Amino acid sequence: VSVVSACGGRDEVSSTDTSTAVPGEGTVATAGAPGDTAAPQGATWNLEMVEGELQRAGFVVTRDRTPVNLPFMSVPGTALSLGRATAVQIYLYGDAGARGADTDKLDPARAAPRGTNVSFRSPATLVTDNNLAAIVLTADPEARARIAEALHRRAEGDGALR
C-alpha cells in the first residue's frame, strides 16, 4: 500500500468555518481501546480543541482545507501544518470505540497497518486520545514529543482537559 497525502496550499481558517463536525457524533460512547484515555460522553475532542492545544504547545497552526483520505481510516482527516517540516493529520470520531476500530489495527510507531508499507512525506507516528487519532509527521523527535503531550491533555479519570 502506498499513500501520499495532499500537500496543496494552506489557508487560514476563520472562526466561522463549519467544517469541524465530528463524524458519528450521535453514537453512544464506549469504553474505548485498552489503555486509551476514554472520556465520558460529551468530553470529546473537536478540531478547535486540537488546534488550541497545539497552539498552547508553541506551534503556529495552519489548517489545510483539503480533506485527507487514507484507505485504512474510516473518516476523513484534516491536515494541520505546524511549521518547520512538521504536520499532523487529525481524525475525529464519534467516540473512542469508533476510533479504536481503525487505530487498533495500526502500528503506532509507523501510523500504518501492521505488515504494510505506507509512504508518508516524513516519519509518521500515531497519537490517540479518546475520539482523536493524530498522525504526526516529522523527523524532529522534540516536536513529536511536544505534539504527543499536547494531544494527551486529559486528566486522569475524569476526561476533562487539564
Side-chain angles (χ1 to χ4, degrees):
V1 177
S2 177
V3 179
V4 178
S5 63
C7 297
R10 289 172 169 47
D11 298 318
E12 291 293 326
V13 177
S14 73
S15 61
T16 59
D17 184 16
T18 60
S19 65
T20 60
V22 177
E25 66 185 333
T27 61
V28 176
T30 67
D36 188 22
T37 54
Q41 185 76 11
T44 57
W45 287 91
N46 62 45
L47 199 50
E48 284 77 21
M49 288 172 65
V50 170
E51 290 173 329
E53 290 299 312
L54 292 170
Q55 288 167 347
R56 278 186 278 291
F59 294 100
V60 175
V61 179
T62 306
R63 189 187 309 179
D64 189 332
R65 291 183 183 267
T66 305
V68 179
N69 293 298
L70 296 177
F72 49 88
M73 302 298 267
S74 63
V75 298
T78 301
L80 302 176
S81 173
L82 306 181
R84 296 187 170 193
T86 299
V88 180
Q89 295 176 358
I90 302 298
Y91 299 86
L92 297 171
Y93 295 82
D95 58 48
R99 191 263 313 141
D102 281 357
T103 59
D104 289 352
K105 303 172 201 168
L106 304 181
D107 175 356
R110 297 181 315 106
R114 290 172 177 85
T116 65
N117 290 317
V118 177
S119 297
F120 288 107
R121 65 181 185 182
S122 298
T125 55
L126 179 68
V127 173
T128 61
D129 187 80
N130 194 29
N131 68 310
L132 165 75
I135 297 177
V136 180
L137 301 167
T138 185
D140 181 349
E142 289 181 30
R144 188 177 308 115
R146 285 176 42 216
I147 293 166
E149 174 64 25
L151 299 180
H152 279 116
R153 300 291 303 240
R154 302 220 175 248
E156 194 74 25
D158 67 2
L161 288 176
R162 285 190 254 157

